[in-house]
Amino acid sequence: MTWGREPVSPPVALTIAGSDAGGGAGIQADLKAMTAHGVFGTAVVTATTAQNTRGVADVHAVPAGHVASQYDAVIEDFDVVAVKTGMLATASIVETAAGLLARGSAPVVVDPVMVAATGDRLLSPAAEDAYQGLIERATLVTPNADEAAVLVGDPVETLADAEAAGRELVARGAGAALVKGGHLDGETVVDTLVIGDSGEGSGDGDEPTVVRFENPRVATDATHGSGCALSSAIAARLARGEPLREAVAGAVDDMGAAIRRGYDVGEGPGAVNPTAFDGGV
């Protein structure tokens, strides 16, 4: 007896990010989130990291030329309908990613992984400066408060600051900016979404739209991988054809479930659980 093949044809998304040896963040979290949303995930690895639930011991960046080769291999074979970027490691890789993505038309979610949970800066000043080219290509940029402060050069400590930073990122060319509120004070987490007039361009013309998402704060420090999972969930929802605002709203709701039902593994705080997304398929 043999089984007949019954293939499925999910939409395809791409993550361009670093590898987390501990499995809680990076491309590992990205692919889990994409799969949970019924999307086939492909991956371009920008760096390998020796890390676990307790911290990062070593980082090895992949040569920018190999990043480009991986990207070309994926694009030549798959119909990629959404992309997200995560840890890009060096100025050369940031610039390479911006150039590669400028060749395509799929929506791009940029998670600017610049500042660790400890507050440590993860990129050189040159790499931080190189992000401007990627911002101009982004459908959505998803910085936390610390990363938004690096990108715009001003402190982000209040909701007003978050809105101002989002407006500045849209003015610099992003279609929209989601400034995450997890690092801000308060019993609730308020994420601020600023959408340009077209949802794709600089916001010139009509005033940008500002939307806030407020959710209870989960009493845990096990949030490793939350930024990766959120940006990947948004990319997956865009790949499924959801409008930007709906995709962000759904993914923000998903994150509460991912944190509440996080993985209790390793000797550190643990990691979020992308497969627990309420919006999973």
Side-chain angles (χ1 to χ4, degrees), residues 208-224:
T209 300
V210 179
V211 184
R212 290 194 172 93
F213 306 98
E214 185 171 355
N215 289 284
R217 189 177 296 274
V218 181
T220 181
D221 57 356
T223 57
H224 182 54

mmCIF file with all atom_site columns, all heavy atoms in Angstrom, residues 208-224:
data_model
loop_
_atom_site.group_PDB
_atom_site.id
_atom_site.type_symbol
_atom_site.label_atom_id
_atom_site.label_alt_id
_atom_site.label_comp_id
_atom_site.label_asym_id
_atom_site.label_entity_id
_atom_site.label_seq_id
_atom_site.pdbx_PDB_ins_code
_atom_site.Cartn_x
_atom_site.Cartn_y
_atom_site.Cartn_z
_atom_site.occupancy
_atom_site.B_iso_or_equiv
_atom_site.pdbx_formal_charge
_atom_site.auth_seq_id
_atom_site.auth_comp_id
_atom_site.auth_asym_id
_atom_site.auth_atom_id
_atom_site.pdbx_PDB_model_num
ATOM 1   N N   . PRO A 1 208 ? 0.165  61.503 9.217  1.00 0.00 ? 208 PRO A N   1
ATOM 2   C CA  . PRO A 1 208 ? 0.215  60.078 9.548  1.00 0.00 ? 208 PRO A CA  1
ATOM 3   C C   . PRO A 1 208 ? -0.875 59.683 10.543 1.00 0.00 ? 208 PRO A C   1
ATOM 4   O O   . PRO A 1 208 ? -1.317 60.498 11.360 1.00 0.00 ? 208 PRO A O   1
ATOM 5   C CB  . PRO A 1 208 ? 1.608  59.919 10.167 1.00 0.00 ? 208 PRO A CB  1
ATOM 6   C CG  . PRO A 1 208 ? 2.414  61.042 9.607  1.00 0.00 ? 208 PRO A CG  1
ATOM 7   C CD  . PRO A 1 208 ? 1.449  62.184 9.472  1.00 0.00 ? 208 PRO A CD  1
ATOM 8   N N   . THR A 1 209 ? -1.297 58.443 10.463 1.00 0.00 ? 209 THR A N   1
ATOM 9   C CA  . THR A 1 209 ? -2.280 57.890 11.391 1.00 0.00 ? 209 THR A CA  1
ATOM 10  C C   . THR A 1 209 ? -1.553 57.291 12.582 1.00 0.00 ? 209 THR A C   1
ATOM 11  O O   . THR A 1 209 ? -0.549 56.582 12.419 1.00 0.00 ? 209 THR A O   1
ATOM 12  C CB  . THR A 1 209 ? -3.108 56.793 10.699 1.00 0.00 ? 209 THR A CB  1
ATOM 13  O OG1 . THR A 1 209 ? -3.786 57.361 9.586  1.00 0.00 ? 209 THR A OG1 1
ATOM 14  C CG2 . THR A 1 209 ? -4.116 56.179 11.658 1.00 0.00 ? 209 THR A CG2 1
ATOM 15  N N   . VAL A 1 210 ? -2.046 57.561 13.799 1.00 0.00 ? 210 VAL A N   1
ATOM 16  C CA  . VAL A 1 210 ? -1.440 57.024 15.020 1.00 0.00 ? 210 VAL A CA  1
ATOM 17  C C   . VAL A 1 210 ? -2.450 56.105 15.697 1.00 0.00 ? 210 VAL A C   1
ATOM 18  O O   . VAL A 1 210 ? -3.588 56.487 15.946 1.00 0.00 ? 210 VAL A O   1
ATOM 19  C CB  . VAL A 1 210 ? -1.023 58.155 15.986 1.00 0.00 ? 210 VAL A CB  1
ATOM 20  C CG1 . VAL A 1 210 ? -0.413 57.566 17.268 1.00 0.00 ? 210 VAL A CG1 1
ATOM 21  C CG2 . VAL A 1 210 ? -0.018 59.091 15.301 1.00 0.00 ? 210 VAL A CG2 1
ATOM 22  N N   . VAL A 1 211 ? -2.026 54.879 15.971 1.00 0.00 ? 211 VAL A N   1
ATOM 23  C CA  . VAL A 1 211 ? -2.864 53.882 16.635 1.00 0.00 ? 211 VAL A CA  1
ATOM 24  C C   . VAL A 1 211 ? -2.083 53.331 17.823 1.00 0.00 ? 211 VAL A C   1
ATOM 25  O O   . VAL A 1 211 ? -0.884 53.041 17.702 1.00 0.00 ? 211 VAL A O   1
ATOM 26  C CB  . VAL A 1 211 ? -3.237 52.724 15.686 1.00 0.00 ? 211 VAL A CB  1
ATOM 27  C CG1 . VAL A 1 211 ? -4.190 51.751 16.370 1.00 0.00 ? 211 VAL A CG1 1
ATOM 28  C CG2 . VAL A 1 211 ? -3.820 53.245 14.387 1.00 0.00 ? 211 VAL A CG2 1
ATOM 29  N N   . ARG A 1 212 ? -2.756 53.196 18.961 1.00 0.00 ? 212 ARG A N   1
ATOM 30  C CA  . ARG A 1 212 ? -2.093 52.614 20.138 1.00 0.00 ? 212 ARG A CA  1
ATOM 31  C C   . ARG A 1 212 ? -2.772 51.307 20.525 1.00 0.00 ? 212 ARG A C   1
ATOM 32  O O   . ARG A 1 212 ? -3.994 51.200 20.497 1.00 0.00 ? 212 ARG A O   1
ATOM 33  C CB  . ARG A 1 212 ? -2.098 53.598 21.308 1.00 0.00 ? 212 ARG A CB  1
ATOM 34  C CG  . ARG A 1 212 ? -1.180 54.796 21.087 1.00 0.00 ? 212 ARG A CG  1
ATOM 35  C CD  . ARG A 1 212 ? -0.937 55.572 22.378 1.00 0.00 ? 212 ARG A CD  1
ATOM 36  N NE  . ARG A 1 212 ? 0.088  56.586 22.181 1.00 0.00 ? 212 ARG A NE  1
ATOM 37  C CZ  . ARG A 1 212 ? -0.156 57.857 21.833 1.00 0.00 ? 212 ARG A CZ  1
ATOM 38  N NH1 . ARG A 1 212 ? -1.401 58.252 21.642 1.00 0.00 ? 212 ARG A NH1 1
ATOM 39  N NH2 . ARG A 1 212 ? 0.836  58.714 21.683 1.00 0.00 ? 212 ARG A NH2 1
ATOM 40  N N   . PHE A 1 213 ? -1.958 50.330 20.887 1.00 0.00 ? 213 PHE A N   1
ATOM 41  C CA  . PHE A 1 213 ? -2.449 49.031 21.335 1.00 0.00 ? 213 PHE A CA  1
ATOM 42  C C   . PHE A 1 213 ? -2.043 48.856 22.796 1.00 0.00 ? 213 PHE A C   1
ATOM 43  O O   . PHE A 1 213 ? -0.849 48.877 23.115 1.00 0.00 ? 213 PHE A O   1
ATOM 44  C CB  . PHE A 1 213 ? -1.846 47.909 20.490 1.00 0.00 ? 213 PHE A CB  1
ATOM 45  C CG  . PHE A 1 213 ? -2.053 48.085 19.009 1.00 0.00 ? 213 PHE A CG  1
ATOM 46  C CD1 . PHE A 1 213 ? -1.049 48.627 18.217 1.00 0.00 ? 213 PHE A CD1 1
ATOM 47  C CD2 . PHE A 1 213 ? -3.249 47.730 18.412 1.00 0.00 ? 213 PHE A CD2 1
ATOM 48  C CE1 . PHE A 1 213 ? -1.232 48.790 16.857 1.00 0.00 ? 213 PHE A CE1 1
ATOM 49  C CE2 . PHE A 1 213 ? -3.446 47.893 17.046 1.00 0.00 ? 213 PHE A CE2 1
ATOM 50  C CZ  . PHE A 1 213 ? -2.434 48.429 16.263 1.00 0.00 ? 213 PHE A CZ  1
ATOM 51  N N   . GLU A 1 214 ? -3.029 48.685 23.674 1.00 0.00 ? 214 GLU A N   1
ATOM 52  C CA  . GLU A 1 214 ? -2.753 48.576 25.107 1.00 0.00 ? 214 GLU A CA  1
ATOM 53  C C   . GLU A 1 214 ? -3.118 47.175 25.592 1.00 0.00 ? 214 GLU A C   1
ATOM 54  O O   . GLU A 1 214 ? -4.230 46.691 25.350 1.00 0.00 ? 214 GLU A O   1
ATOM 55  C CB  . GLU A 1 214 ? -3.543 49.623 25.885 1.00 0.00 ? 214 GLU A CB  1
ATOM 56  C CG  . GLU A 1 214 ? -3.226 49.645 27.372 1.00 0.00 ? 214 GLU A CG  1
ATOM 57  C CD  . GLU A 1 214 ? -3.845 50.824 28.083 1.00 0.00 ? 214 GLU A CD  1
ATOM 58  O OE1 . GLU A 1 214 ? -4.444 51.685 27.390 1.00 0.00 ? 214 GLU A OE1 1
ATOM 59  O OE2 . GLU A 1 214 ? -3.727 50.914 29.317 1.00 0.00 ? 214 GLU A OE2 1
ATOM 60  N N   . ASN A 1 215 ? -2.189 46.542 26.287 1.00 0.00 ? 215 ASN A N   1
ATOM 61  C CA  . ASN A 1 215 ? -2.403 45.190 26.797 1.00 0.00 ? 215 ASN A CA  1
ATOM 62  C C   . ASN A 1 215 ? -1.818 45.064 28.203 1.00 0.00 ? 215 ASN A C   1
ATOM 63  O O   . ASN A 1 215 ? -0.855 45.767 28.551 1.00 0.00 ? 215 ASN A O   1
ATOM 64  C CB  . ASN A 1 215 ? -1.733 44.164 25.882 1.00 0.00 ? 215 ASN A CB  1
ATOM 65  C CG  . ASN A 1 215 ? -2.442 44.024 24.557 1.00 0.00 ? 215 ASN A CG  1
ATOM 66  O OD1 . ASN A 1 215 ? -3.493 43.403 24.474 1.00 0.00 ? 215 ASN A OD1 1
ATOM 67  N ND2 . ASN A 1 215 ? -1.867 44.611 23.503 1.00 0.00 ? 215 ASN A ND2 1
ATOM 68  N N   . PRO A 1 216 ? -2.375 44.174 29.039 1.00 0.00 ? 216 PRO A N   1
ATOM 69  C CA  . PRO A 1 216 ? -1.816 43.969 30.378 1.00 0.00 ? 216 PRO A CA  1
ATOM 70  C C   . PRO A 1 216 ? -0.368 43.501 30.283 1.00 0.00 ? 216 PRO A C   1
ATOM 71  O O   . PRO A 1 216 ? -0.002 42.752 29.374 1.00 0.00 ? 216 PRO A O   1
ATOM 72  C CB  . PRO A 1 216 ? -2.706 42.866 30.972 1.00 0.00 ? 216 PRO A CB  1
ATOM 73  C CG  . PRO A 1 216 ? -3.954 42.897 30.166 1.00 0.00 ? 216 PRO A CG  1
ATOM 74  C CD  . PRO A 1 216 ? -3.557 43.329 28.785 1.00 0.00 ? 216 PRO A CD  1
ATOM 75  N N   . ARG A 1 217 ? 0.440  43.958 31.224 1.00 0.00 ? 217 ARG A N   1
ATOM 76  C CA  . ARG A 1 217 ? 1.833  43.524 31.282 1.00 0.00 ? 217 ARG A CA  1
ATOM 77  C C   . ARG A 1 217 ? 1.893  42.138 31.929 1.00 0.00 ? 217 ARG A C   1
ATOM 78  O O   . ARG A 1 217 ? 1.302  41.918 32.988 1.00 0.00 ? 217 ARG A O   1
ATOM 79  C CB  . ARG A 1 217 ? 2.666  44.523 32.079 1.00 0.00 ? 217 ARG A CB  1
ATOM 80  C CG  . ARG A 1 217 ? 4.177  44.253 32.006 1.00 0.00 ? 217 ARG A CG  1
ATOM 81  C CD  . ARG A 1 217 ? 4.941  45.322 32.770 1.00 0.00 ? 217 ARG A CD  1
ATOM 82  N NE  . ARG A 1 217 ? 4.791  46.647 32.190 1.00 0.00 ? 217 ARG A NE  1
ATOM 83  C CZ  . ARG A 1 217 ? 5.551  47.113 31.203 1.00 0.00 ? 217 ARG A CZ  1
ATOM 84  N NH1 . ARG A 1 217 ? 6.496  46.350 30.678 1.00 0.00 ? 217 ARG A NH1 1
ATOM 85  N NH2 . ARG A 1 217 ? 5.358  48.334 30.739 1.00 0.00 ? 217 ARG A NH2 1
ATOM 86  N N   . VAL A 1 218 ? 2.569  41.203 31.320 1.00 0.00 ? 218 VAL A N   1
ATOM 87  C CA  . VAL A 1 218 ? 2.726  39.867 31.886 1.00 0.00 ? 218 VAL A CA  1
ATOM 88  C C   . VAL A 1 218 ? 3.865  39.909 32.900 1.00 0.00 ? 218 VAL A C   1
ATOM 89  O O   . VAL A 1 218 ? 4.955  40.406 32.607 1.00 0.00 ? 218 VAL A O   1
ATOM 90  C CB  . VAL A 1 218 ? 3.022  38.826 30.787 1.00 0.00 ? 218 VAL A CB  1
ATOM 91  C CG1 . VAL A 1 218 ? 3.163  37.434 31.394 1.00 0.00 ? 218 VAL A CG1 1
ATOM 92  C CG2 . VAL A 1 218 ? 1.917  38.841 29.732 1.00 0.00 ? 218 VAL A CG2 1
ATOM 93  N N   . ALA A 1 219 ? 3.613  39.386 34.094 1.00 0.00 ? 219 ALA A N   1
ATOM 94  C CA  . ALA A 1 219 ? 4.585  39.450 35.189 1.00 0.00 ? 219 ALA A CA  1
ATOM 95  C C   . ALA A 1 219 ? 5.675  38.395 34.986 1.00 0.00 ? 219 ALA A C   1
ATOM 96  O O   . ALA A 1 219 ? 5.681  37.329 35.621 1.00 0.00 ? 219 ALA A O   1
ATOM 97  C CB  . ALA A 1 219 ? 3.886  39.251 36.525 1.00 0.00 ? 219 ALA A CB  1
ATOM 98  N N   . THR A 1 220 ? 6.606  38.689 34.087 1.00 0.00 ? 220 THR A N   1
ATOM 99  C CA  . THR A 1 220 ? 7.704  37.766 33.823 1.00 0.00 ? 220 THR A CA  1
ATOM 100 C C   . THR A 1 220 ? 8.844  38.509 33.150 1.00 0.00 ? 220 THR A C   1
ATOM 101 O O   . THR A 1 220 ? 8.624  39.541 32.507 1.00 0.00 ? 220 THR A O   1
ATOM 102 C CB  . THR A 1 220 ? 7.260  36.613 32.905 1.00 0.00 ? 220 THR A CB  1
ATOM 103 O OG1 . THR A 1 220 ? 8.364  35.715 32.686 1.00 0.00 ? 220 THR A OG1 1
ATOM 104 C CG2 . THR A 1 220 ? 6.794  37.140 31.562 1.00 0.00 ? 220 THR A CG2 1
ATOM 105 N N   . ASP A 1 221 ? 10.057 38.002 33.323 1.00 0.00 ? 221 ASP A N   1
ATOM 106 C CA  . ASP A 1 221 ? 11.175 38.537 32.562 1.00 0.00 ? 221 ASP A CA  1
ATOM 107 C C   . ASP A 1 221 ? 11.600 37.555 31.473 1.00 0.00 ? 221 ASP A C   1
ATOM 108 O O   . ASP A 1 221 ? 12.634 37.723 30.838 1.00 0.00 ? 221 ASP A O   1
ATOM 109 C CB  . ASP A 1 221 ? 12.358 38.876 33.468 1.00 0.00 ? 221 ASP A CB  1
ATOM 110 C CG  . ASP A 1 221 ? 12.848 37.680 34.287 1.00 0.00 ? 221 ASP A CG  1
ATOM 111 O OD1 . ASP A 1 221 ? 12.219 36.594 34.216 1.00 0.00 ? 221 ASP A OD1 1
ATOM 112 O OD2 . ASP A 1 221 ? 13.859 37.833 35.013 1.00 0.00 ? 221 ASP A OD2 1
ATOM 113 N N   . ALA A 1 222 ? 10.774 36.522 31.233 1.00 0.00 ? 222 ALA A N   1
ATOM 114 C CA  . ALA A 1 222 ? 11.058 35.529 30.196 1.00 0.00 ? 222 ALA A CA  1
ATOM 115 C C   . ALA A 1 222 ? 10.520 36.024 28.860 1.00 0.00 ? 222 ALA A C   1
ATOM 116 O O   . ALA A 1 222 ? 9.530  35.507 28.331 1.00 0.00 ? 222 ALA A O   1
ATOM 117 C CB  . ALA A 1 222 ? 10.441 34.190 30.568 1.00 0.00 ? 222 ALA A CB  1
ATOM 118 N N   . THR A 1 223 ? 11.158 37.049 28.329 1.00 0.00 ? 223 THR A N   1
ATOM 119 C CA  . THR A 1 223 ? 10.709 37.648 27.065 1.00 0.00 ? 223 THR A CA  1
ATOM 120 C C   . THR A 1 223 ? 11.740 37.478 25.948 1.00 0.00 ? 223 THR A C   1
ATOM 121 O O   . THR A 1 223 ? 11.657 38.157 24.923 1.00 0.00 ? 223 THR A O   1
ATOM 122 C CB  . THR A 1 223 ? 10.412 39.138 27.262 1.00 0.00 ? 223 THR A CB  1
ATOM 123 O OG1 . THR A 1 223 ? 11.590 39.798 27.762 1.00 0.00 ? 223 THR A OG1 1
ATOM 124 C CG2 . THR A 1 223 ? 9.257  39.335 28.249 1.00 0.00 ? 223 THR A CG2 1
ATOM 125 N N   . HIS A 1 224 ? 12.676 36.571 26.139 1.00 0.00 ? 224 HIS A N   1
ATOM 126 C CA  . HIS A 1 224 ? 13.690 36.327 25.110 1.00 0.00 ? 224 HIS A CA  1
ATOM 127 C C   . HIS A 1 224 ? 13.001 35.893 23.811 1.00 0.00 ? 224 HIS A C   1
ATOM 128 O O   . HIS A 1 224 ? 12.187 34.977 23.799 1.00 0.00 ? 224 HIS A O   1
ATOM 129 C CB  . HIS A 1 224 ? 14.650 35.228 25.590 1.00 0.00 ? 224 HIS A CB  1
ATOM 130 C CG  . HIS A 1 224 ? 15.758 34.927 24.638 1.00 0.00 ? 224 HIS A CG  1
ATOM 131 N ND1 . HIS A 1 224 ? 16.607 35.889 24.153 1.00 0.00 ? 224 HIS A ND1 1
ATOM 132 C CD2 . HIS A 1 224 ? 16.169 33.757 24.077 1.00 0.00 ? 224 HIS A CD2 1
ATOM 133 C CE1 . HIS A 1 224 ? 17.502 35.335 23.343 1.00 0.00 ? 224 HIS A CE1 1
ATOM 134 N NE2 . HIS A 1 224 ? 17.243 34.044 23.282 1.00 0.00 ? 224 HIS A NE2 1
#
